[in-house]
Amino acid sequence: MSEHNTPSLDNLDAAGPSSRTLKRVGIGAAVIALAVVAIGTTSRIMATNGLETVANDAAIPTVAVVSPIKDANGDALVLPGNVQAYNSAAIYARTNGYVRRWLADIGDNVKAGQPLAILDAPEIDQQLARAQADYQTALANQRLAETTAKRWSAMLEKDAVSRQESDEKLGDLAARSALSIAALANVKQLRALQGFTRLSAPFSGVVTSRSAQIGSLVVAGNAAAQPLFTVSDIHRMRIYVRVPQGYSSALHPGLGATLTLPEYPGRSFAATLTRSAGAVDAQSGAVLVQLEADNPDGALKPGAFSQVNFKLDAGQGNGVSLPGSAILYSNDGPSVALVDGKGRVTMKPIKIARDQGATVLVSGGLSPSDRVIDTPPDAIRTGDMVHVQAPAKTADGKGKPNAH
């Protein structure tokens, strides 16, 4: 039985795998494992590199750029102006009294010399009456002294009196004459004060203010008092404008300009520059100029605000316009960020000639071919790299193809 149940060594070798086969299987498994590891490592490296590329790209900001445009009003300069009457007079009382009547109100057209109000001044009336009486007394004394002096001169010729006595009478006549002249001057002064109880317009114009009230007390010489009337000559108006120093050389007498006022949309008024202060104000850095404009229909009102558009000679407009959002402000002053064709940033200081609200006018240093970053980051510096959005837009908001 044992001989039949026990396998021989030859049978075992025939039934199990050979060592060569096992070796091949092991080598194949190792190769496969190495391949799997290599593929995993390679994919991880590629993923890491891809993430680094994405991170680097994300670190470079994407910006919009604008192209400076030549000042749309290259031959024009728009500045605020203050409209004033050609002549304006505040009417005060020159004598104390009470307002008896006022004869003109605001908006009335008055002629030169036309009465505006009448005052009651009883004190002046009484002083004038007393002064006239004093003058009559002085005049009577003068006449008596004159008659006496003539008589004494006649008696002197007959040696009836001494020369000393005759000279005394002549001296008395001179003194009486001086007193008479002084009394007459006092009468004229009081008559003039009495005449001031009648307030009159100094020139033809419009009454633009009235504070006179019937029965109110008027005190002359009160610096804090309001004028009883204000009369303005508005047939022609004066407009005062402060011009920045950089443009003052372009303005000269005879230069034309147009006015626009908010209450007259779509309407403009012609004006001419007539005078310049010829000096730069130390506080504002501007030169005060005066323009004049005809006002036949009274549309221009004293004290009005206006926009003055100067018609500069050709070639005076040398600035470019940028949106205000493109300007960076620092301790060194305003600057802009320029982008070249490779996306590299260059910071450039600028000088703002005029701030127009949404846009600013830059005087020189930029050209329409420059690309300026709109709304740049505060931390942007020269040498930084940026991605530029396409298309770019101009400073006036119109898009155009972006050249890289």
Side-chain angles (χ1 to χ4, degrees), residues 360-385:
V360 295
L361 180 64
V362 179
S363 59
L366 295 177
S367 67
S369 61
D370 291 330
R371 298 193 301 170
V372 181
I373 296 179
D374 190 16
T375 317
D378 292 337
I380 197 168
R381 295 292 182 269
T382 298
D384 291 351
M385 297 297 297

Side-chain angles (χ1 to χ4, degrees), residues 235-289:
H235 83 284
R236 189 169 176 83
M237 307 298 287
R238 304 179 195 265
I239 302 94
Y240 295 96
V241 182
R242 295 190 179 275
V243 179
Q245 181 179 352
Y247 290 90
S248 59
S249 62
L251 304 183
H252 54 82
L255 181 67
T258 56
L259 310 178
T260 56
L261 288 86
E263 64 266 36
Y264 299 111
R267 182 180 177 183
S268 61
F269 303 84
T272 304
L273 194 151
T274 56
R275 294 181 180 276
S276 171
V280 179
D281 182 71
Q283 295 183 349
S284 64
V287 178
L288 181 65
V289 299

